[in-house]
Amino acid sequence: MTIKRYGAEKAGAGGQRLPFARAVEADGWLYVSGQVAMEDGEIIPGGIIEQTHKTIANVIAILDEAGYGLEHVVRCGVWLDDPRDFWTFNKIYQQYFGEHPPARACVQASMMVDCKVEIDCVAFKPSK
């Protein structure tokens, strides 16, 4: 079995080296670490709408780097800072995953950084 790590060398906020990979691939499975609405090491301004779009864009960028797409995502984990954002979040989420909805868990949680949403996922693509 081959294991490939994506982004383990990247820096986080303030230039700190993070103790985890952005994603790890093993035997066709891709495990994407929790993503937030971060750009250049900082959380973008805005509410749940802006932050959801940016968070999903960050997930897509990692999937793309590894050669996967949203159609390969089999499960997502979602953490919302404010449960009142649930329906707004779902509308945006459906725009991206409407054709290929994965299994999903969505919970309210206090975030480690000042953001509104965090998303991780697991994707699968059979080897050729």
PDB file of all heavy atoms in Angstrom, residues 72-96:
ATOM      1  N   HIS A  72     -16.276  12.237  -6.145  1.00  0.00           N
ATOM      2  CA  HIS A  72     -15.594  11.151  -5.443  1.00  0.00           C
ATOM      3  C   HIS A  72     -15.783  11.206  -3.929  1.00  0.00           C
ATOM      4  O   HIS A  72     -15.381  10.277  -3.227  1.00  0.00           O
ATOM      5  CB  HIS A  72     -14.090  11.186  -5.757  1.00  0.00           C
ATOM      6  CG  HIS A  72     -13.795  10.992  -7.204  1.00  0.00           C
ATOM      7  ND1 HIS A  72     -13.257  11.990  -7.990  1.00  0.00           N
ATOM      8  CD2 HIS A  72     -13.993   9.928  -8.014  1.00  0.00           C
ATOM      9  CE1 HIS A  72     -13.118  11.537  -9.217  1.00  0.00           C
ATOM     10  NE2 HIS A  72     -13.555  10.292  -9.260  1.00  0.00           N
ATOM     11  N   VAL A  73     -16.373  12.286  -3.417  1.00  0.00           N
ATOM     12  CA  VAL A  73     -16.536  12.444  -1.968  1.00  0.00           C
ATOM     13  C   VAL A  73     -17.641  11.513  -1.478  1.00  0.00           C
ATOM     14  O   VAL A  73     -18.759  11.546  -1.979  1.00  0.00           O
ATOM     15  CB  VAL A  73     -16.840  13.917  -1.594  1.00  0.00           C
ATOM     16  CG1 VAL A  73     -17.132  14.049  -0.105  1.00  0.00           C
ATOM     17  CG2 VAL A  73     -15.678  14.818  -2.004  1.00  0.00           C
ATOM     18  N   VAL A  74     -17.308  10.672  -0.497  1.00  0.00           N
ATOM     19  CA  VAL A  74     -18.284   9.722   0.038  1.00  0.00           C
ATOM     20  C   VAL A  74     -18.809  10.134   1.412  1.00  0.00           C
ATOM     21  O   VAL A  74     -19.853   9.655   1.835  1.00  0.00           O
ATOM     22  CB  VAL A  74     -17.709   8.286   0.098  1.00  0.00           C
ATOM     23  CG1 VAL A  74     -17.427   7.763  -1.297  1.00  0.00           C
ATOM     24  CG2 VAL A  74     -16.463   8.210   0.962  1.00  0.00           C
ATOM     25  N   ARG A  75     -18.063  11.027   2.097  1.00  0.00           N
ATOM     26  CA  ARG A  75     -18.511  11.483   3.418  1.00  0.00           C
ATOM     27  C   ARG A  75     -17.916  12.843   3.726  1.00  0.00           C
ATOM     28  O   ARG A  75     -16.774  13.118   3.402  1.00  0.00           O
ATOM     29  CB  ARG A  75     -18.064  10.517   4.503  1.00  0.00           C
ATOM     30  CG  ARG A  75     -18.614  10.915   5.868  1.00  0.00           C
ATOM     31  CD  ARG A  75     -17.908  10.275   7.028  1.00  0.00           C
ATOM     32  NE  ARG A  75     -18.474  10.693   8.287  1.00  0.00           N
ATOM     33  CZ  ARG A  75     -18.197  11.859   8.875  1.00  0.00           C
ATOM     34  NH1 ARG A  75     -17.368  12.718   8.331  1.00  0.00           N
ATOM     35  NH2 ARG A  75     -18.755  12.168  10.036  1.00  0.00           N
ATOM     36  N   CYS A  76     -18.729  13.691   4.356  1.00  0.00           N
ATOM     37  CA  CYS A  76     -18.262  14.989   4.857  1.00  0.00           C
ATOM     38  C   CYS A  76     -18.615  15.107   6.332  1.00  0.00           C
ATOM     39  O   CYS A  76     -19.655  14.626   6.767  1.00  0.00           O
ATOM     40  CB  CYS A  76     -18.942  16.159   4.123  1.00  0.00           C
ATOM     41  SG  CYS A  76     -18.297  16.485   2.488  1.00  0.00           S
ATOM     42  N   GLY A  77     -17.756  15.766   7.051  1.00  0.00           N
ATOM     43  CA  GLY A  77     -18.041  16.179   8.420  1.00  0.00           C
ATOM     44  C   GLY A  77     -18.113  17.698   8.414  1.00  0.00           C
ATOM     45  O   GLY A  77     -17.263  18.352   7.812  1.00  0.00           O
ATOM     46  N   VAL A  78     -19.134  18.240   9.035  1.00  0.00           N
ATOM     47  CA  VAL A  78     -19.334  19.696   9.040  1.00  0.00           C
ATOM     48  C   VAL A  78     -19.510  20.160  10.479  1.00  0.00           C
ATOM     49  O   VAL A  78     -20.263  19.553  11.246  1.00  0.00           O
ATOM     50  CB  VAL A  78     -20.588  20.091   8.216  1.00  0.00           C
ATOM     51  CG1 VAL A  78     -20.845  21.590   8.305  1.00  0.00           C
ATOM     52  CG2 VAL A  78     -20.452  19.636   6.770  1.00  0.00           C
ATOM     53  N   TRP A  79     -18.796  21.231  10.809  1.00  0.00           N
ATOM     54  CA  TRP A  79     -18.921  21.867  12.109  1.00  0.00           C
ATOM     55  C   TRP A  79     -19.359  23.304  11.885  1.00  0.00           C
ATOM     56  O   TRP A  79     -18.713  24.042  11.131  1.00  0.00           O
ATOM     57  CB  TRP A  79     -17.581  21.862  12.860  1.00  0.00           C
ATOM     58  CG  TRP A  79     -17.137  20.476  13.211  1.00  0.00           C
ATOM     59  CD1 TRP A  79     -17.337  19.822  14.384  1.00  0.00           C
ATOM     60  CD2 TRP A  79     -16.405  19.572  12.382  1.00  0.00           C
ATOM     61  NE1 TRP A  79     -16.779  18.566  14.333  1.00  0.00           N
ATOM     62  CE2 TRP A  79     -16.203  18.386  13.118  1.00  0.00           C
ATOM     63  CE3 TRP A  79     -15.903  19.638  11.075  1.00  0.00           C
ATOM     64  CZ2 TRP A  79     -15.526  17.283  12.599  1.00  0.00           C
ATOM     65  CZ3 TRP A  79     -15.234  18.551  10.561  1.00  0.00           C
ATOM     66  CH2 TRP A  79     -15.051  17.394  11.324  1.00  0.00           C
ATOM     67  N   LEU A  80     -20.468  23.677  12.492  1.00  0.00           N
ATOM     68  CA  LEU A  80     -20.972  25.045  12.407  1.00  0.00           C
ATOM     69  C   LEU A  80     -20.824  25.715  13.764  1.00  0.00           C
ATOM     70  O   LEU A  80     -21.161  25.117  14.792  1.00  0.00           O
ATOM     71  CB  LEU A  80     -22.447  25.068  11.989  1.00  0.00           C
ATOM     72  CG  LEU A  80     -22.775  24.545  10.599  1.00  0.00           C
ATOM     73  CD1 LEU A  80     -24.283  24.518  10.393  1.00  0.00           C
ATOM     74  CD2 LEU A  80     -22.100  25.380   9.529  1.00  0.00           C
ATOM     75  N   ASP A  81     -20.360  26.950  13.747  1.00  0.00           N
ATOM     76  CA  ASP A  81     -20.219  27.715  14.980  1.00  0.00           C
ATOM     77  C   ASP A  81     -21.587  28.084  15.550  1.00  0.00           C
ATOM     78  O   ASP A  81     -21.785  28.049  16.756  1.00  0.00           O
ATOM     79  CB  ASP A  81     -19.396  28.974  14.687  1.00  0.00           C
ATOM     80  CG  ASP A  81     -19.158  29.812  15.920  1.00  0.00           C
ATOM     81  OD1 ASP A  81     -18.588  29.278  16.890  1.00  0.00           O
ATOM     82  OD2 ASP A  81     -19.543  30.996  15.907  1.00  0.00           O
ATOM     83  N   ASP A  82     -22.536  28.407  14.681  1.00  0.00           N
ATOM     84  CA  ASP A  82     -23.860  28.874  15.098  1.00  0.00           C
ATOM     85  C   ASP A  82     -24.928  28.002  14.438  1.00  0.00           C
ATOM     86  O   ASP A  82     -25.035  27.974  13.207  1.00  0.00           O
ATOM     87  CB  ASP A  82     -24.041  30.336  14.683  1.00  0.00           C
ATOM     88  CG  ASP A  82     -25.320  30.960  15.213  1.00  0.00           C
ATOM     89  OD1 ASP A  82     -26.270  30.224  15.555  1.00  0.00           O
ATOM     90  OD2 ASP A  82     -25.362  32.205  15.270  1.00  0.00           O
ATOM     91  N   PRO A  83     -25.723  27.267  15.204  1.00  0.00           N
ATOM     92  CA  PRO A  83     -26.726  26.386  14.607  1.00  0.00           C
ATOM     93  C   PRO A  83     -27.770  27.139  13.775  1.00  0.00           C
ATOM     94  O   PRO A  83     -28.415  26.553  12.914  1.00  0.00           O
ATOM     95  CB  PRO A  83     -27.360  25.678  15.796  1.00  0.00           C
ATOM     96  CG  PRO A  83     -27.097  26.553  16.967  1.00  0.00           C
ATOM     97  CD  PRO A  83     -25.796  27.251  16.672  1.00  0.00           C
ATOM     98  N   ARG A  84     -27.918  28.436  14.004  1.00  0.00           N
ATOM     99  CA  ARG A  84     -28.870  29.219  13.195  1.00  0.00           C
ATOM    100  C   ARG A  84     -28.404  29.348  11.746  1.00  0.00           C
ATOM    101  O   ARG A  84     -29.191  29.722  10.886  1.00  0.00           O
ATOM    102  CB  ARG A  84     -29.072  30.597  13.817  1.00  0.00           C
ATOM    103  CG  ARG A  84     -29.779  30.527  15.178  1.00  0.00           C
ATOM    104  CD  ARG A  84     -29.793  31.845  15.861  1.00  0.00           C
ATOM    105  NE  ARG A  84     -28.408  32.223  16.180  1.00  0.00           N
ATOM    106  CZ  ARG A  84     -28.053  33.280  16.875  1.00  0.00           C
ATOM    107  NH1 ARG A  84     -28.960  34.108  17.334  1.00  0.00           N
ATOM    108  NH2 ARG A  84     -26.786  33.533  17.124  1.00  0.00           N
ATOM    109  N   ASP A  85     -27.149  29.013  11.469  1.00  0.00           N
ATOM    110  CA  ASP A  85     -26.614  29.067  10.097  1.00  0.00           C
ATOM    111  C   ASP A  85     -26.905  27.795   9.309  1.00  0.00           C
ATOM    112  O   ASP A  85     -26.577  27.719   8.124  1.00  0.00           O
ATOM    113  CB  ASP A  85     -25.096  29.292  10.128  1.00  0.00           C
ATOM    114  CG  ASP A  85     -24.726  30.686  10.570  1.00  0.00           C
ATOM    115  OD1 ASP A  85     -25.542  31.612  10.401  1.00  0.00           O
ATOM    116  OD2 ASP A  85     -23.601  30.852  11.086  1.00  0.00           O
ATOM    117  N   PHE A  86     -27.536  26.798   9.933  1.00  0.00           N
ATOM    118  CA  PHE A  86     -27.724  25.489   9.305  1.00  0.00           C
ATOM    119  C   PHE A  86     -28.407  25.563   7.945  1.00  0.00           C
ATOM    120  O   PHE A  86     -27.932  25.000   6.963  1.00  0.00           O
ATOM    121  CB  PHE A  86     -28.502  24.567  10.248  1.00  0.00           C
ATOM    122  CG  PHE A  86     -28.728  23.182   9.705  1.00  0.00           C
ATOM    123  CD1 PHE A  86     -27.699  22.266   9.656  1.00  0.00           C
ATOM    124  CD2 PHE A  86     -29.979  22.803   9.250  1.00  0.00           C
ATOM    125  CE1 PHE A  86     -27.899  20.983   9.158  1.00  0.00           C
ATOM    126  CE2 PHE A  86     -30.198  21.525   8.752  1.00  0.00           C
ATOM    127  CZ  PHE A  86     -29.151  20.611   8.711  1.00  0.00           C
ATOM    128  N   TRP A  87     -29.535  26.245   7.848  1.00  0.00           N
ATOM    129  CA  TRP A  87     -30.296  26.266   6.595  1.00  0.00           C
ATOM    130  C   TRP A  87     -29.579  27.056   5.514  1.00  0.00           C
ATOM    131  O   TRP A  87     -29.576  26.665   4.340  1.00  0.00           O
ATOM    132  CB  TRP A  87     -31.719  26.779   6.828  1.00  0.00           C
ATOM    133  CG  TRP A  87     -32.458  25.845   7.739  1.00  0.00           C
ATOM    134  CD1 TRP A  87     -32.850  26.090   9.025  1.00  0.00           C
ATOM    135  CD2 TRP A  87     -32.824  24.487   7.463  1.00  0.00           C
ATOM    136  NE1 TRP A  87     -33.449  24.974   9.557  1.00  0.00           N
ATOM    137  CE2 TRP A  87     -33.446  23.971   8.621  1.00  0.00           C
ATOM    138  CE3 TRP A  87     -32.687  23.661   6.357  1.00  0.00           C
ATOM    139  CZ2 TRP A  87     -33.932  22.665   8.693  1.00  0.00           C
ATOM    140  CZ3 TRP A  87     -33.172  22.362   6.431  1.00  0.00           C
ATOM    141  CH2 TRP A  87     -33.787  21.880   7.585  1.00  0.00           C
ATOM    142  N   THR A  88     -28.942  28.146   5.872  1.00  0.00           N
ATOM    143  CA  THR A  88     -28.161  28.924   4.896  1.00  0.00           C
ATOM    144  C   THR A  88     -26.987  28.087   4.404  1.00  0.00           C
ATOM    145  O   THR A  88     -26.710  28.024   3.204  1.00  0.00           O
ATOM    146  CB  THR A  88     -27.659  30.239   5.528  1.00  0.00           C
ATOM    147  OG1 THR A  88     -28.794  30.979   5.976  1.00  0.00           O
ATOM    148  CG2 THR A  88     -26.869  31.063   4.539  1.00  0.00           C
ATOM    149  N   PHE A  89     -26.297  27.425   5.324  1.00  0.00           N
ATOM    150  CA  PHE A  89     -25.199  26.543   4.951  1.00  0.00           C
ATOM    151  C   PHE A  89     -25.683  25.461   3.990  1.00  0.00           C
ATOM    152  O   PHE A  89     -25.053  25.192   2.965  1.00  0.00           O
ATOM    153  CB  PHE A  89     -24.566  25.901   6.195  1.00  0.00           C
ATOM    154  CG  PHE A  89     -23.598  24.814   5.845  1.00  0.00           C
ATOM    155  CD1 PHE A  89     -22.300  25.126   5.476  1.00  0.00           C
ATOM    156  CD2 PHE A  89     -23.995  23.484   5.842  1.00  0.00           C
ATOM    157  CE1 PHE A  89     -21.408  24.118   5.109  1.00  0.00           C
ATOM    158  CE2 PHE A  89     -23.120  22.483   5.481  1.00  0.00           C
ATOM    159  CZ  PHE A  89     -21.826  22.796   5.112  1.00  0.00           C
ATOM    160  N   ASN A  90     -26.808  24.808   4.304  1.00  0.00           N
ATOM    161  CA  ASN A  90     -27.329  23.728   3.456  1.00  0.00           C
ATOM    162  C   ASN A  90     -27.605  24.189   2.036  1.00  0.00           C
ATOM    163  O   ASN A  90     -27.364  23.453   1.081  1.00  0.00           O
ATOM    164  CB  ASN A  90     -28.602  23.139   4.057  1.00  0.00           C
ATOM    165  CG  ASN A  90     -28.318  21.951   4.929  1.00  0.00           C
ATOM    166  OD1 ASN A  90     -27.232  21.383   4.915  1.00  0.00           O
ATOM    167  ND2 ASN A  90     -29.303  21.567   5.715  1.00  0.00           N
ATOM    168  N   LYS A  91     -28.148  25.398   1.870  1.00  0.00           N
ATOM    169  CA  LYS A  91     -28.423  25.930   0.520  1.00  0.00           C
ATOM    170  C   LYS A  91     -27.142  26.014  -0.298  1.00  0.00           C
ATOM    171  O   LYS A  91     -27.114  25.640  -1.471  1.00  0.00           O
ATOM    172  CB  LYS A  91     -29.048  27.324   0.603  1.00  0.00           C
ATOM    173  CG  LYS A  91     -30.533  27.340   0.710  1.00  0.00           C
ATOM    174  CD  LYS A  91     -31.017  28.754   0.471  1.00  0.00           C
ATOM    175  CE  LYS A  91     -32.180  29.060   1.357  1.00  0.00           C
ATOM    176  NZ  LYS A  91     -32.586  30.447   1.303  1.00  0.00           N
ATOM    177  N   ILE A  92     -26.093  26.513   0.305  1.00  0.00           N
ATOM    178  CA  ILE A  92     -24.809  26.653  -0.393  1.00  0.00           C
ATOM    179  C   ILE A  92     -24.195  25.280  -0.632  1.00  0.00           C
ATOM    180  O   ILE A  92     -23.728  24.982  -1.738  1.00  0.00           O
ATOM    181  CB  ILE A  92     -23.853  27.562   0.407  1.00  0.00           C
ATOM    182  CG1 ILE A  92     -24.462  28.958   0.522  1.00  0.00           C
ATOM    183  CG2 ILE A  92     -22.473  27.614  -0.248  1.00  0.00           C
ATOM    184  CD1 ILE A  92     -23.834  29.826   1.586  1.00  0.00           C
ATOM    185  N   TYR A  93     -24.193  24.436   0.366  1.00  0.00           N
ATOM    186  CA  TYR A  93     -23.641  23.084   0.272  1.00  0.00           C
ATOM    187  C   TYR A  93     -24.287  22.318  -0.877  1.00  0.00           C
ATOM    188  O   TYR A  93     -23.612  21.653  -1.662  1.00  0.00           O
ATOM    189  CB  TYR A  93     -23.870  22.375   1.606  1.00  0.00           C
ATOM    190  CG  TYR A  93     -23.317  20.981   1.718  1.00  0.00           C
ATOM    191  CD1 TYR A  93     -22.027  20.760   2.178  1.00  0.00           C
ATOM    192  CD2 TYR A  93     -24.113  19.877   1.410  1.00  0.00           C
ATOM    193  CE1 TYR A  93     -21.530  19.469   2.315  1.00  0.00           C
ATOM    194  CE2 TYR A  93     -23.628  18.592   1.546  1.00  0.00           C
ATOM    195  CZ  TYR A  93     -22.333  18.389   1.997  1.00  0.00           C
ATOM    196  OH  TYR A  93     -21.852  17.112   2.128  1.00  0.00           O
ATOM    197  N   GLN A  94     -25.610  22.455  -1.002  1.00  0.00           N
ATOM    198  CA  GLN A  94     -26.343  21.753  -2.066  1.00  0.00           C
ATOM    199  C   GLN A  94     -25.918  22.226  -3.451  1.00  0.00           C
ATOM    200  O   GLN A  94     -25.927  21.440  -4.397  1.00  0.00           O
ATOM    201  CB  GLN A  94     -27.844  21.929  -1.877  1.00  0.00           C
ATOM    202  CG  GLN A  94     -28.648  21.115  -2.860  1.00  0.00           C
ATOM    203  CD  GLN A  94     -30.137  21.186  -2.588  1.00  0.00           C
ATOM    204  OE1 GLN A  94     -30.611  22.091  -1.914  1.00  0.00           O
ATOM    205  NE2 GLN A  94     -30.866  20.227  -3.103  1.00  0.00           N
ATOM    206  N   GLN A  95     -25.524  23.480  -3.591  1.00  0.00           N
ATOM    207  CA  GLN A  95     -25.044  23.983  -4.885  1.00  0.00           C
ATOM    208  C   GLN A  95     -23.823  23.205  -5.363  1.00  0.00           C
ATOM    209  O   GLN A  95     -23.621  23.034  -6.562  1.00  0.00           O
ATOM    210  CB  GLN A  95     -24.691  25.470  -4.797  1.00  0.00           C
ATOM    211  CG  GLN A  95     -25.863  26.382  -4.565  1.00  0.00           C
ATOM    212  CD  GLN A  95     -25.416  27.810  -4.277  1.00  0.00           C
ATOM    213  OE1 GLN A  95     -24.267  28.186  -4.479  1.00  0.00           O
ATOM    214  NE2 GLN A  95     -26.341  28.612  -3.782  1.00  0.00           N
ATOM    215  N   TYR A  96     -23.002  22.753  -4.439  1.00  0.00           N
ATOM    216  CA  TYR A  96     -21.780  22.029  -4.784  1.00  0.00           C
ATOM    217  C   TYR A  96     -21.984  20.518  -4.837  1.00  0.00           C
ATOM    218  O   TYR A  96     -21.404  19.847  -5.672  1.00  0.00           O
ATOM    219  CB  TYR A  96     -20.680  22.337  -3.759  1.00  0.00           C
ATOM    220  CG  TYR A  96     -20.209  23.762  -3.805  1.00  0.00           C
ATOM    221  CD1 TYR A  96     -20.773  24.738  -2.988  1.00  0.00           C
ATOM    222  CD2 TYR A  96     -19.188  24.154  -4.673  1.00  0.00           C
ATOM    223  CE1 TYR A  96     -20.334  26.052  -3.027  1.00  0.00           C
ATOM    224  CE2 TYR A  96     -18.743  25.465  -4.723  1.00  0.00           C
ATOM    225  CZ  TYR A  96     -19.326  26.405  -3.890  1.00  0.00           C
ATOM    226  OH  TYR A  96     -18.890  27.705  -3.933  1.00  0.00           O
TER     227      TYR A  96
END
